[in-house]
């Protein structure tokens, strides 16, 4: 198991990325190599803070450039050939690494993976699959932003890829698939959703029909599919609502002594809820359909999130997710 890590990507890089990588090196079995890609001086300074010997699987790959969060992804990938994200992906392309993790510029990660790795057989474009928490079990939302304009055929591919990921990584035996639309009836939606409904209805997937956004967090579906524009709006709105509720509760509990006392009695419950809903525990969003395992972490990834991102990357490699996607899409194409 060899994983390349964009050590310079993210709001807290390289400190948190290096710290999480060290945790992974010590706790995840089967890791043969962890490539820390970035400025060698900066990475060594973070490694020097580590108590004890540096794990033998850690190797630094020096590069001179970083793609900043505000840069145009396509322009940055073309111009910054020696950036940490470009070099990280190239390690996978060259067969030196089995997977890559980056918490940097999402667009740049998608662009680098698409241009350098290309796509799996049968995949038009890779899609970002985000694991979303619910009270019962998490569901997979895709596409979460890679392709704002998706065709019905592409969304069908998302459904196949999301089902395989849900089954292999999240452990759902027979993942249910819902098509995100403005109503449950087949006739509801735009031309894209109506055509996609027919394609999914003819597939062997456990397709349960259209679902509305209010159904997503009730445990109704294991996989929710839509175009990247809608998916990204759902993702960002969900994050904003979760943040607002958290801030709101803190304000409300501080209003008087009785509420403070009530909070003290209930803080165990809130702690458990916060742990369950923490996106950092899911590590990152896989870019499904790329010809290589690519995990995209949140820009605010901590050491904990980095550790989990590397864990998810290792699981995707171990479960041969990409091979399963190719086989399943080949079967669908043969039947059509």
């Amino acid at each position: 198991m060899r994983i390349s890590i964009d050590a310079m990507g993210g709001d807290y890089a390289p400190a948190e990325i290096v710290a999480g990588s060290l945790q992974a090196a010590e706790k995840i079995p089967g890791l043969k190599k962890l490539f820390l890609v970035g400025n060698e001086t900066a990475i060594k300074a973070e490694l020097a803070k580590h108590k004890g010997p540096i794990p033998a699987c850690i190797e630094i790959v020096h590069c001179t450039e970083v793609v900043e969060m505000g840069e145009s992804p396509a322009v940055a990938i073309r111009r910054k050939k020696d950036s940490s994200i470009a070099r990280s992906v190239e390690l996978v392309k060259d067969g030196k690494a089995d997977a890559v993790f980056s918490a940097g510029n999402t667009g740049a990660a998608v662009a680098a993976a698409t241009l350098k790795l290309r796509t799996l057989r049968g995949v038009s474009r890779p899609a970002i699959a985000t694991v979303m928490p619910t009270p019962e079990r998490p569901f997979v939302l895709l596409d979460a932003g890679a392709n704002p304009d998706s065709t019905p055929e592409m969304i069908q591919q998302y459904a196949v890829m999301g089902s395989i990921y849900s089954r292999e990584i999240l452990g759902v035996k027979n993942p249910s698939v819902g098509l995100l639309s403005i109503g449950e009836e087949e006739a509801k939606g735009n031309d894209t959703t109506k055509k996609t409904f027919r394609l999914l209805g003819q597939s062997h997937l456990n397709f349960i029909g259209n679902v509305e956004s209010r159904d997503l967090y009730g445990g109704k579906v294991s996989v929710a599919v839509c175009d990247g524009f809608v998916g990204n709006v759902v993702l960002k709105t969900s994050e904003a609502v979760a943040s607002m509720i958290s801030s709101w509760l803190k304000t409300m509990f501080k209003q008087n002594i009785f509420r403070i006392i009530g909070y003290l009695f209930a803080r165990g419950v809130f702690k458990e809820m916060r742990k369950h809903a923490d996106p950092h525990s899911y590590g990152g969003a896989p870019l499904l359909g790329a010809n290589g395992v690519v995990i995209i972490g949140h820009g605010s990834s901590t050491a904990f999130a980095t550790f989990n991102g590397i864990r998810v990357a290792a699981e995707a490699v171990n479960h041969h997710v990409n091979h399963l996607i190719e086989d399943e899409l080949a079967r669908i194409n043969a039947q059509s």
Side-chain angles (χ1 to χ4, degrees):
M1 185 69 63
R2 305 159 303 167
I3 299 176
S4 65
I5 299 150
D6 175 9
M8 311 307 291
D11 298 336
Y12 307 120
E16 294 294 314
I17 307 301
V18 172
S21 300
L22 287 167
Q23 291 178 25
E26 295 171 346
K27 297 178 181 179
I28 298 177
L31 287 179
K32 181 179 179 181
K33 188 71 69 175
L34 282 181
F35 296 101
L36 294 179
V37 185
N39 182 279
E40 185 174 14
T41 301
I43 294 172
K44 282 185 174 180
E46 296 302 327
L47 289 174
K49 300 175 183 178
H50 180 63
K51 296 179 180 179
I54 303 301
C57 66
I58 295 286
E59 180 177 327
I60 299 174
V61 176
H62 177 65
C63 61
T64 60
E65 297 176 303
V66 177
V67 176
E68 303 296 342
M69 289 296 194
E71 289 189 72
S72 168
V75 173
I77 292 301
R78 286 198 303 269
R79 293 181 178 176
K80 293 187 172 181
K81 305 293 186 182
D82 198 37
S83 67
S84 56
I85 180 57
R87 293 288 300 279
S88 296
V89 172
E90 283 173 2
L91 287 172
V92 177
K93 177 185 176 182
D94 296 338
K96 296 178 180 178
D98 303 300
V100 57
F101 170 81
S102 175
N105 185 307
T106 298
V110 172
T114 303
L115 292 171
K116 297 177 183 296
L117 302 179
R118 303 299 179 181
T119 60
L120 297 172
R121 291 192 311 273
V123 175
S124 300
R125 293 181 190 174
I128 297 174
T130 301
V131 178
M132 306 287 281
T134 74
E136 294 185 10
R137 63 168 185 254
F139 70 92
V140 182
L141 172 72
L142 70 168
D143 178 23
N147 308 293
D149 298 307
S150 302
T151 66
E153 290 75 18
M154 288 166 62
I155 299 176
Q156 182 189 36
Q157 293 167 13
Y158 304 162
V160 171
M161 297 190 293
S163 294
I164 291 172
Y165 191 83
S166 177
R167 186 184 71 217
E168 296 297 323
I169 305 302
L170 301 182
V172 181
K173 290 185 178 180
N174 186 26
S176 56
V177 177
L179 174 62
L180 194 55
S181 188
I182 58 173
E184 295 182 354
E185 299 83 2
E186 180 178 353
K188 290 289 183 72
N190 55 27
D191 287 342
T192 299
T193 58
K194 291 175 184 177
K195 291 177 182 177
T196 305
F197 189 103
R198 289 193 289 272
L199 285 175
L200 293 176
Q202 296 166 2
S203 73
H204 68 285
L205 298 170
N206 183 16
F207 178 55
I208 64 170
N210 286 340
V211 293
E212 298 181 66
S213 55
R214 64 183 179 183
D215 298 320
L216 296 179
Y217 297 97
K220 188 173 182 178
V221 295
S222 308
V223 179
V225 293
C226 55
D227 64 58
F229 182 88
V230 172
N232 196 257
V233 170
V234 170
L235 175 62
K236 297 292 176 59
T237 301
S238 299
E239 290 178 342
V241 170
S243 178
M244 180 202 69
I245 291 174
S246 176
S247 177
W248 197 1
L249 284 172
K250 289 178 182 178
T251 301
M252 297 294 284
F253 272 115
K254 291 178 181 179
Q255 287 188 349
N256 59 59
I257 187 64
F258 298 106
R259 291 186 177 184
I260 293 174
I261 294 172
Y263 167 76
L264 293 175
F265 280 109
R267 61 182 174 179
V269 175
F270 289 113
K271 184 177 181 180
E272 186 176 342
M273 286 176 60
R274 187 162 55 246
K275 181 180 179 181
H276 182 73
D278 184 7
H280 289 176
S281 64
Y282 299 106
L287 183 66
L288 297 180
N291 189 21
V293 174
V294 180
I295 305 297
I296 300 174
H298 199 284
S300 62
S301 287
T302 59
F304 178 61
T306 301
F307 165 80
N308 281 307
I310 297 170
R311 172 185 58 78
V312 169
E315 289 175 356
V317 174
N318 279 331
H319 284 259
H320 306 289
V321 167
N322 283 350
H323 294 301
L324 293 172
I325 289 173
E326 284 190 324
D327 291 345
E328 196 63 35
L329 289 175
R331 188 159 75 92
I332 290 175
N333 291 333
Q335 292 173 346
S336 60

